[in-house]
Amino acid sequence: MPETIPNRKIIHIDMDAFFASVEQMDNPALRGKPIAVGGAENRGVVAAASYEARKFGVRSAISGVLAKKNCPDLIFVRPRFDRYKEISYKIQKIFHEYTDLVEPLSLDEAYLDVTVNKKRNPSATLLAQEIRLRILNEVGLTASAGISVNKFVAKIASDYNKPNGQKTVNPDEVIPFLEVLPIRKFYGVGKVTTEKMYQLGIFTGLELKSKSLEFLEKHFGKSGNFYYNVVRGIHNSEVKSDRITKSVAAEHTFDVNLSSEIFMMEQLENIGNSLEKRLKKYHIAGKTITLKIKYSDFTQQTRSKTMPYFISDKGLILETVKELLYQDRMKDSVRLLGISLSNLNTEEKKTVAVQLKFAF
């Protein structure tokens, strides 16, 4: 590996169909059946789907109506986030028995830096196998893992042998691995960017690697530098055990579209209550208030204002939200409203994770 690439040992653990798997574990009658967590209401969205449901094209983020159309026998289950958090906490405890450098991405996935680990095991591959086995035996769920020299490659690798599998990409395999990788499988390359790359004749990592930095920055802006580096195995982002919250938000999707600002303001007051509770719970304040509006045609708009001081009081937040709501005419009826607070006081805190270089 080039000297510019830190030689770390990173594991990305990703639980298999986490929400759906928890429901099937807790209710044996659901095992082996196509289930979707969430999405049952007319305007509902699928939060997670079991592997039995995925065979029919049911996946997260699609509407419940479409999910039922794809799979007529689909069983909808109401989400139980307290239960998912409880299970996630047990899994996190297992991670911390191996390393303190654990960076959760969500309830069901995390990065672990095991370059130096509490088990003094030099093999990240064996550690990943052991962690997955412990999750199965102690929690009752399966997990998949990706192991490599950085977070980017480990994240991609964890998806390779799902469910209940793992893949290791050793240091000398990173470049060949990325060169043959379809561009749509690059983490951070979404559907729109994939289509744009196809139009530019970029279908694999090797074709991406053939493009100059100037070419990529011209077509993809600041992201061009990211693409230029990651395809060369360069991704120096550290595993951060203390991720700093950058924003706090609350939003709501309505059963019936709203067309009156008066009704919208009533709903925004309820959303403001939820936001204030979260801010108080974690002692967070912020300067930038953002109003999120999603219209009936699913187009989205945000309106923001930055204050000269930190705020967390609902009254002050709603006063600004009202100003943002009325600053411009609505182009259509509204199906979702949200309020977020960013530019937080938490960003003033600095955490430092020490990373060491060792042979893989």
Side-chain angles (χ1 to χ4, degrees):
M1 295 288 288
E3 290 183 1
T4 54
I5 306 176
N7 209 7
R8 303 184 182 117
K9 298 179 183 181
I10 308 296
I11 301 173
H12 177 255
I13 299 284
D14 192 6
M15 300 302 297
D16 299 323
F18 183 56
F19 295 170
S21 295
V22 171
E23 297 301 335
Q24 289 178 319
M25 176 178 70
D26 289 353
N27 184 355
L30 297 175
R31 294 174 191 172
K33 296 181 180 179
I35 74 165
V37 176
E41 301 86 1
N42 216 25
R43 303 290 288 272
V45 176
V46 174
S50 66
Y51 282 98
E52 294 85 357
R54 293 183 188 188
K55 294 176 183 177
F56 296 90
V58 179
R59 61 184 187 281
S60 61
I62 71 168
S63 70
V65 174
L66 179 58
K68 191 69 174 177
K69 182 179 178 181
N70 290 346
C71 181
D73 295 327
L74 187 65
I75 301 169
F76 288 102
V77 181
R78 294 181 67 86
R80 299 179 297 148
F81 289 105
D82 287 342
R83 176 59 171 158
Y84 308 147
K85 288 177 184 176
E86 177 190 349
I87 297 293
S88 180
Y89 178 73
K90 291 180 181 179
I91 296 167
Q92 297 289 331
K93 282 187 69 176
I94 294 174
F95 293 161
H96 281 278
E97 289 185 32
Y98 292 82
T99 176
D100 289 326
L101 289 178
V102 177
E103 181 180 341
L105 297 178
S106 59
L107 292 176
D108 62 340
E109 62 175 318
Y111 290 114
L112 289 72
D113 187 329
V114 294
T115 310
V116 178
N117 59 80
K118 296 178 181 179
K119 303 294 182 179
R120 298 184 180 181
N121 188 333
S123 172
T125 299
L126 293 178
L127 285 172
Q129 288 176 348
E130 186 177 318
I131 291 168
R132 290 175 48 243
L133 184 60
R134 285 193 58 187
I135 293 172
L136 179 62
N137 291 338
E138 296 173 31
V139 181
L141 299 173
T142 64
S144 297
I147 306 98
S148 196
V149 296
N150 62 43
K151 291 161 70 174
F152 178 78
V153 180
K155 171 79 173 176
I156 296 170
S158 66
D159 199 43
Y160 248 70
N161 293 314
K162 267 187 164 291
N164 196 24
Q166 68 179 58
K167 180 175 178 61
T168 298
V169 182
N170 290 300
D172 59 345
E173 298 171 337
V174 169
I175 301 302
F177 173 78
L178 293 172
E179 285 182 344
V180 299
L181 193 71
I183 205 67
R184 59 184 171 79
K185 290 193 174 182
F186 272 65
Y187 178 55
V189 177
K191 187 176 181 181
V192 174
T193 303
T194 297
E195 290 299 324
K196 187 173 181 179
M197 287 195 176
Y198 286 172
Q199 291 170 10
L200 294 169
I202 302 171
F203 296 90
T204 66
L206 183 61
E207 287 161 338
L208 177 62
K209 192 178 176 185
S210 71
K211 303 301 181 183
S212 67
L213 177 59
E214 291 74 20
F215 176 91
L216 293 174
E217 287 183 332
K218 175 185 175 182
H219 291 281
F220 302 101
K222 292 180 180 179
S223 297
N225 183 64
F226 170 77
Y227 302 142
Y228 181 85
N229 283 313
V230 294
V231 76
R232 289 166 172 78
I234 302 170
H235 187 242
N236 297 335
S237 175
E238 299 173 346
V239 173
K240 297 178 181 177
S241 56
D242 294 310
R243 301 183 77 207
I244 298 175
T245 301
K246 293 188 177 180
S247 68
V248 181
E251 61 183 42
H252 184 71
T253 301
F254 310 113
D255 293 330
V256 178
N257 292 343
L258 304 180
S259 55
S260 165
E261 283 89 346
I262 294 174
F263 293 142
M264 292 179 201
M265 203 60 221
E266 289 178 356
Q267 294 296 333
L268 285 167
E269 288 201 22
N270 295 329
I271 295 169
N273 286 331
S274 299
L275 180 62
E276 186 182 47
K277 287 179 183 177
R278 295 177 192 179
L279 295 171
K280 286 183 176 179
K281 181 178 180 181
Y282 298 105
H283 307 288
I284 289 173
K287 292 182 178 179
T288 301
I289 300 130
T290 300
L291 171 64
K292 176 181 175 181
I293 305 165
K294 185 177 286 186
Y295 294 102
S296 55
D297 63 357
F298 287 86
T299 58
Q300 187 171 298
Q301 182 184 62
T302 57
R303 304 172 183 178
S304 299
K305 182 177 180 179
T306 299
M307 311 295 284
Y309 45 81
F310 290 108
I311 64 170
S312 60
D313 177 71
K314 184 189 74 172
L316 290 173
I317 292 171
L318 287 176
E319 187 178 310
T320 305
V321 166
K322 186 175 182 179
E323 180 185 330
L324 294 171
L325 181 67
Y326 285 97
Q327 79 175 19
D328 199 4
R329 292 180 62 185
M330 296 291 171
K331 71 165 198 170
D332 202 348
S333 59
V334 172
R335 75 185 310 269
L336 177 148
L337 288 171
I339 306 172
S340 66
L341 195 64
S342 57
N343 197 4
L344 306 179
N345 54 357
T346 56
E347 294 178 23
E348 295 180 343
K349 303 172 185 176
K350 302 294 181 182
T351 57
V352 178
V354 178
Q355 298 284 356
L356 304 175
K357 295 182 181 179
F358 283 84
F360 202 81

